[in-house]
Amino acid sequence: MNATILIVDDEESIREALQGVLEDEGYRVITAENGIDGIEAVQKDIPDLVLLDIWMPKMDGLEALKKLRELYPNLAVVMISGHGTIETAVNATKMGAFDFIEKPLSLDKVLLTVSNAVNMSRLIEENASLKGLIDDQCELVGDSAKIKELREQIKRVASADSSVLITGETGTGKELVARVIHSLSSRKDKPFISMNCAALPEELMESELFGHEKGAFPGAISQKKGKLDIANGGTLFLNNVEELSVNGQRKLLKLLQESNYERVGGTRSIKADLRIIAATVLDIEKMASAGEFLPDLYYRLNVVPLHIPALREHLEDIPELVKYFLDRFCIKEGREKKEASKDTLKALKNYDWPGNIRELKNIIERMVIMSSGQFLEISALPDMFVMGQDNVIDDFRESNSLRGAREEFEREFIMQKLEENDWNITKTAEAIELERSNLHRKIKSYGIEMKK
């Protein structure tokens, strides 16, 4: 998707000259002849960059810059002036202008400045989207046969540009696998943008993904770019993709078919160049067969399927995972290097891990914070691990299969956590790090009777 540039200048010859040069370079250009019209143009169609003249009738450029910074703090603005002074340039920079160029314009200078400003604008958007995720590692830890096989599959998948559908239980590392695919792909130098489709109410989900136009719905006071805009050129990861609304599914299907989309409330077709990686904890093929998910979208997403094994399927990787998390958290907390005792490792390997690697990560972090010695002793583990060595196996011996025992344990675990959180589903979901919608499904499937 080409960057959009707004030229605001009262001289028609300047607008036409800049528009011609920039369009020849592949940019999409819109124009306005004064500050007031320029602000209105931004509110209708937020550009990636504004080229703003200073001396104009009705509203000068510095006043327009001040207004734009109030409305759109991250919008890149380059000031243009035929009567530039050092004082004016300093004032414009203090007010948030990216750069200041003088007339008569050097086209080489204009093109270089535009390129730098557009790149900066996209970096700001990407960084804002990734805030809080900067410490995410992009490494698959483990040497078991299942993890080795997964690594080989990822290498083969990464070299292509096809859609990928990742399946696996909650906490197995679906986003991590998506990040590894991106890091090994030809798009590795472009954005990786993640969106959790289960984290937003349906009425906001489409706006977050596709963006919206001013007036698209009550409260939409200006245009907003979506994840698709920010991910342009790179990879968009859609976690819990089954939570997309039917209308959102149709729009995503159109994107995959035609490589373009419209913002909510808009009619302009926007070209998209990105790779879609989706993930789900559910049997989405079964959902498609039952009419609960668009079959055509499922086929488009499932070009390359990848399944991540549950932690209980590769327990032999636990010592290496524990060491990895210990090293990471000791550095983070400024602690001396720690090790897990043999009894602790044994207890961890005997646990069923309903929360998978995410649960292991949280347990290790907690133990690093709470332990004062060099070794993480079994006494520092939560009660359910110690209980797991004695009582839990006895309690579940009546089950005829590992799956049955696991399901019984998971049911008891969920009931215990619900009770601890006064049967509040939202609090319980947060406590066990499970999506609220997934917790609802488990409660229903296990026949758990909710207490008021």
Side-chain angles (χ1 to χ4, degrees):
M1 184 175 62
N2 295 332
T4 297
I5 299 175
L6 169 63
I7 302 169
V8 185
D9 198 303
D10 61 326
E11 296 184 53
E12 184 178 0
S13 59
I14 296 292
R15 295 198 305 271
E16 291 179 350
L18 284 174
Q19 182 173 5
V21 170
L22 293 172
E23 286 181 343
D24 286 345
E25 293 295 316
Y27 296 106
R28 175 176 172 264
V29 179
I30 52 180
T31 63
E33 61 183 31
N34 58 61
I36 294 175
D37 291 348
I39 290 171
E40 290 180 356
V42 171
Q43 291 176 322
K44 291 178 182 177
D45 188 357
I46 300 178
D48 296 280
L49 170 66
V50 178
L51 296 179
L52 181 60
D53 189 28
I54 290 184
W55 305 107
M56 295 182 294
K58 295 186 180 180
M59 178 185 286
D60 67 30
L62 291 179
E63 189 179 350
L65 173 62
K66 181 180 178 182
K67 186 68 174 177
L68 288 172
R69 299 304 294 172
E70 291 173 356
L71 295 172
Y72 308 97
N74 293 330
L75 179 61
V77 180
V78 172
M79 306 303 294
I80 301 174
S81 175
H83 310 279
T85 65
I86 293 177
E87 183 180 359
T88 305
V90 169
N91 286 340
T93 303
K94 285 183 176 179
M95 292 171 64
F98 174 78
D99 205 346
F100 183 95
I101 52 181
E102 295 181 272
K103 298 177 182 176
L105 300 174
S106 163
L107 295 183
D108 288 339
K109 166 71 171 174
V110 169
L111 292 176
L112 179 60
T113 303
V114 165
S115 176
N116 291 338
V118 167
N119 289 336
M120 184 208 69
S121 177
R122 287 180 172 170
L123 281 173
I124 289 174
E125 287 184 321
E126 181 184 349
N127 289 339
S129 176
L130 295 175
K131 188 178 180 181
L133 299 174
I134 56 175
D135 66 337
D136 276 358
Q137 42 91 13
C138 220
E139 177 184 357
L140 277 178
V141 178
D143 202 38
S144 64
K146 285 186 177 292
I147 295 302
K148 285 181 178 179
E149 181 183 358
L150 182 59
R151 282 200 194 96
E152 289 302 315
Q153 290 175 333
I154 288 172
K155 287 179 183 178
R156 291 193 292 270
V157 168
S159 61
D161 206 33
S162 304
S163 299
V164 180
L165 181 61
I166 303 173
T167 56
E169 295 179 9
T170 298
T172 49
K174 293 183 287 294
E175 181 168 344
L176 169 62
V177 169
R179 287 180 180 276
V180 175
I181 292 172
H182 174 75
S183 70
L184 296 175
S185 74
S186 60
R187 297 179 180 270
K188 62 184 178 182
D189 296 325
K190 299 295 183 178
F192 175 94
I193 303 299
S194 175
M195 175 175 166
N196 186 350
C197 300
L200 292 167
E202 184 175 318
E203 59 270 19
L204 295 180
M205 196 182 304
E206 289 181 44
S207 170
E208 186 72 14
L209 180 56
F210 299 98
H212 65 250
E213 300 292 350
K214 180 181 179 181
F217 49 82
I221 59 174
S222 63
Q223 184 197 70
K224 176 190 174 184
K225 292 185 177 181
K227 298 290 189 185
L228 290 172
D229 293 280
I230 304 171
N232 183 57
T235 302
L236 177 65
F237 174 63
L238 297 175
N239 201 4
N240 297 299
V241 69
E242 75 281 355
E243 295 289 345
L244 272 178
S245 65
V246 174
N247 194 47
Q249 291 178 38
R250 292 195 183 105
K251 287 186 174 183
L252 182 59
L253 175 60
K254 179 183 177 183
L255 170 70
L256 291 168
Q257 290 173 330
E258 303 175 9
S259 297
N260 60 60
Y261 64 98
E262 294 88 36
R263 295 193 179 103
V264 176
T267 56
R268 180 169 70 89
S269 182
I270 303 171
K271 193 72 176 173
D273 171 27
L274 72 164
R275 184 182 199 175
I276 300 289
I277 300 179
T280 180
V281 297
L282 303 181
D283 187 341
I284 204 167
E285 181 179 10
K286 189 175 180 180
M287 290 178 66
S289 299
E292 298 172 355
F293 193 84
L294 289 183
D296 286 350
L297 178 57
Y298 164 69
Y299 297 132
R300 287 277 180 174
L301 292 174
N302 197 45
V303 175
V304 181
L306 276 182
H307 180 73
I308 307 178
L311 180 53
R312 64 182 172 277
E313 298 175 34
H314 57 108
L315 292 171
E316 61 268 41
D317 287 326
I318 281 184
E320 189 174 347
L321 285 163
V322 169
K323 183 180 183 305
Y324 174 82
F325 289 132
L326 271 176
D327 292 345
R328 186 180 182 192
F329 292 134
C330 285
I331 293 172
K332 178 183 176 182
E333 298 296 329
R335 307 291 181 94
E336 292 184 5
K337 188 174 181 181
K338 295 178 181 291
E339 298 178 44
S341 69
K342 291 182 178 179
D343 287 342
T344 299
L345 287 175
K346 181 179 178 182
L348 294 175
K349 290 178 75 172
N350 285 335
Y351 182 58
D352 200 49
W353 296 108
N356 291 292
I357 292 177
R358 184 188 299 157
E359 185 181 7
L360 174 63
K361 173 184 173 183
N362 292 342
I363 292 294
I364 299 303
E365 183 172 17
R366 182 190 310 168
M367 294 180 75
V368 167
I369 295 171
M370 301 304 295
S371 298
S372 56
Q374 179 185 355
F375 289 95
L376 302 185
E377 300 294 349
I378 191 170
S379 58
L381 284 169
D383 291 342
M384 58 187 174
F385 286 87
V386 181
M387 180 181 69
Q389 306 309 299
D390 307 312
N391 306 70
V392 173
I393 294 175
D394 291 335
D395 291 343
F396 298 151
R397 273 179 178 165
E398 293 183 7
S399 298
N400 294 321
S401 67
L402 178 61
R403 179 178 179 181
R406 183 177 67 84
E407 289 177 350
E408 288 180 37
F409 177 85
E410 192 171 84
R411 183 179 187 277
E412 293 298 321
F413 176 76
I414 289 173
M415 287 181 66
Q416 177 186 331
K417 293 301 179 182
L418 282 166
E419 189 170 356
E420 289 176 4
N421 290 279
D422 298 322
W423 298 87
N424 184 299
I425 291 179
T426 300
K427 289 182 179 179
T428 305
E430 291 175 357
I432 65 176
E433 296 190 334
L434 189 68
E435 299 299 341
R436 192 173 184 274
S437 57
N438 293 336
L439 179 57
H440 264 299
R441 292 190 186 96
K442 288 183 180 292
I443 290 171
K444 185 177 179 180
S445 66
Y446 289 144
I448 297 174
E449 184 178 347
M450 294 294 294
K451 297 181 182 179
K452 301 280 185 168

